[in-house]
Amino acid sequence: MATVTVSTIISRVNTLLVDPTYTRWTRQELLDYYNDATKAIVLLRPDAHTKNVAFTCAAGTKQALPSEALRLIEVLRNTDGGRVIRFVPRKALDDSYPDWHAGKTAPTVAAYTYDERDPKTFYLHPGPAAAVKVDLVYSVAPQSKLLADVERSDSPAVADLDDIYINPIIDFMLYRCFSKDAEYSANSNRAMTHYNAYLQQLGEKTQVDGMMEQRQQAGFNRVTGQ
C-alpha cells in the first residue's frame, strides 16, 4: 500500500543531493524524475501498478484490453457465478479445437490465452456472448504527478507505487540527477552506481517473488500428491 507522499520522496532525494535551496535540481525537475522512475519500474515489474476490474466482453474469442492497460496480468473468473478461468497455451487450443474461434454465444468462459508479443489483446474460450463479464487484472502506467498536487498543504499527492518501491524510485531519481553532469567522471560513476542499485533491488524482489511462488506450488503438490 502506498502511504508516502511524493513531496517526501523529493525531499529525501534533495537531502542526498545536498541542494537545500533546490538550485542545481529544481523541485519540478525532481518531480519529472519521479514520474520517470515510476514508469520505469512498471516497465520492469508490470505487477507494481495494476487494476483488478470486472471487464465486459465483446462477442467472440478476441478481446481488447482497456485503453489504459499496458498488458494483461491474469484473467481470474467469471464475474457472475464466480467460476474460475484457467490459462491455456494457444497451441493447445489450436491443436485440440481448430475451430475454437467460431463460438460467440457462451454464457460462461472456461479458459483464456495470451501472448505478450501482442500485449493489448487476449482470447477467451469458449467465445462469450456480448456483455458477459470476467474479472481480470492488468498493468497500468502511473499517471504523471503535477507539482501543484504534490505541494498542496491539504491532501498532498501520494506515491503511485507501494512503499516497498520507494528505494528503487529514489535510486532511479538520483541516477537521473547525476546523469545531468555525466561529463564529469565522478558524477557519471555515481549515476551508474544508483542505476545499478535500482536494477538490483527490482531483480531481488523478482527473485524473492519467484521463490515464494515455488514454495506455494511445492506445498500444493504435497497436498495433491502431484
Side-chain angles (χ1 to χ4, degrees):
M1 179 179 177
T3 62
V4 179
T5 65
V6 178
S7 180
T8 298
I9 296 173
I10 289 175
S11 295
R12 288 178 60 181
V13 171
N14 175 258
T15 298
L16 293 168
L17 292 171
V18 195
D19 184 25
T21 59
Y22 293 91
T23 302
R24 186 69 184 92
W25 298 275
T26 66
R27 288 181 66 84
Q28 180 61 60
E29 185 175 7
L30 295 182
L31 177 59
D32 291 341
Y33 295 157
Y34 164 82
N35 288 328
D36 291 344
T38 57
K39 293 178 176 62
I41 288 173
V42 172
L43 183 64
L44 291 180
R45 289 293 308 245
D47 59 319
H49 197 239
T50 62
K51 282 191 175 181
N52 186 326
V53 302
F55 172 82
T56 301
C57 300
T61 59
K62 186 176 181 179
Q63 307 293 324
L65 286 172
S67 58
E68 65 177 351
L70 295 176
R71 53 152 293 173
L72 182 70
I73 301 295
E74 188 175 12
V75 182
L76 300 171
R77 63 171 187 166
N78 291 272
T79 302
D80 298 326
R83 180 179 175 180
V84 299
I85 300 174
R86 298 185 179 278
F87 174 80
V88 177
R90 192 183 70 190
K91 189 176 187 306
L93 290 171
D94 292 346
D95 291 346
S96 300
Y97 310 102
D99 60 348
W100 69 277
H101 287 291
K104 57 180 180 180
T105 60
T108 302
V109 176
Y112 78 97
T113 189
Y114 177 69
D115 188 337
E116 293 185 4
R117 294 172 298 180
D118 184 14
K120 304 283 188 171
T121 306
F122 66 103
Y123 295 85
L124 300 175
H125 173 70
V132 168
K133 290 187 176 182
V134 298
D135 287 3
L136 55 84
V137 181
Y138 56 82
S139 179
V140 184
Q143 294 296 307
S144 294
K145 302 295 187 186
L146 300 176
L147 191 60
D149 295 328
V150 171
E151 295 183 335
R152 287 178 57 182
S153 57
D154 60 319
S155 303
V158 175
D160 300 87
L161 309 185
D162 287 351
D163 291 351
I164 194 68
Y165 291 103
I166 297 303
N167 285 336
I169 289 173
I170 290 174
D171 274 311
F172 187 93
M173 292 173 67
L174 289 169
Y175 150 68
R176 282 292 180 85
C177 289
F178 290 119
S179 294
K180 184 175 181 177
D181 295 321
E183 65 270 20
Y184 302 106
S185 60
N187 283 340
S188 178
N189 291 337
R190 293 180 75 178
M192 291 312 301
T193 296
H194 286 292
Y195 185 71
N196 289 333
Y198 151 77
L199 291 177
Q200 182 178 5
Q201 291 173 87
L202 293 182
E204 287 176 350
K205 187 178 188 310
T206 300
Q207 186 177 24
V208 170
D209 289 348
M211 291 172 61
M212 290 179 63
E213 185 175 349
Q214 290 176 8
R215 286 198 294 267
Q216 290 173 348
Q217 184 62 42
F220 172 78
N221 290 343
R222 284 197 296 272
V223 172
T224 61
Q226 296 181 356

